[in-house]
Amino acid sequence: MNDSTDSAIVTALLAVRERAYAPYSHHPVGALVVSESGTRYAGANVEVAHYKGICAEASAIAAMASAGERQLREVWVIGPGRHLCTPCGDCRQRIREFATPETRIRVVDAEGRLLKEYDMEALLPDSFGPENLSP
């Protein structure tokens, strides 16, 4: 584990990744989001036979939103290997919906070592968000 990762977060990420349902891709992913209140919400990818499952990040964000929270402080993602398992395009937009300029997105390797950290501008440059819908 890298010094800049929290052992409780890594433990939660490893546990939720183990609960992923990935019978088709065999690529289990876990995510954990920290809301503005400091509450942690975990999610795993859930695949279905028609290949339109839900990503781990979407699962964690849905848990946060379902609890009534609307702002992300941190997003953590863990994949099954030693390489970056960054959020897909859809999840980058989902993160953007609830992010602030201070939100940090961190990707760790399969053991929980920090590989890369992003802010929202680095993750999704020139993004489109709720404020773009205002007149």
Side-chain angles (χ1 to χ4, degrees):
M1 181 175 64
N2 187 301
D3 289 340
S4 58
T5 58
D6 176 320
S7 63
I9 287 176
V10 170
T11 299
L13 283 168
L14 291 168
V16 75
R17 184 190 64 199
E18 288 302 311
R19 294 189 297 267
Y21 180 73
Y24 307 106
S25 72
H26 305 288
H27 189 82
V29 179
L32 182 139
V33 299
V34 182
S35 67
E36 186 57 29
S37 73
T39 303
R40 295 173 177 177
Y41 300 92
N45 58 322
V46 178
E47 298 176 350
V48 293
H50 75 334
Y51 297 118
K52 290 186 180 186
I54 186 169
C55 298
E57 300 92 329
S59 178
I61 289 169
M64 181 193 80
S66 295
E69 300 216 51
R70 298 294 185 260
Q71 196 171 89
L72 291 169
R73 186 185 300 168
E74 300 173 45
V75 177
W76 293 82
V77 182
I78 188 170
R82 57 188 173 113
H83 302 291
L84 283 172
C85 181
T86 57
C88 71
D90 282 349
C91 286
R92 290 174 193 227
Q93 188 63 46
R94 282 186 185 92
I95 293 166
R96 170 63 174 85
E97 185 72 19
F98 299 98
T100 70
E102 292 75 36
T103 301
R104 293 296 170 259
I105 301 93
R106 296 179 178 102
V107 180
V108 299
D109 71 6
E111 276 74 50
R113 290 181 292 265
L114 184 65
L115 294 173
K116 195 156 185 179
E117 180 176 329
Y118 304 86
D119 62 12
M120 200 62 237
E121 180 61 27
L123 189 69
L124 190 61
D126 302 319
S127 65
F128 185 91
E131 68 279 0
N132 295 102
L133 298 174
S134 299

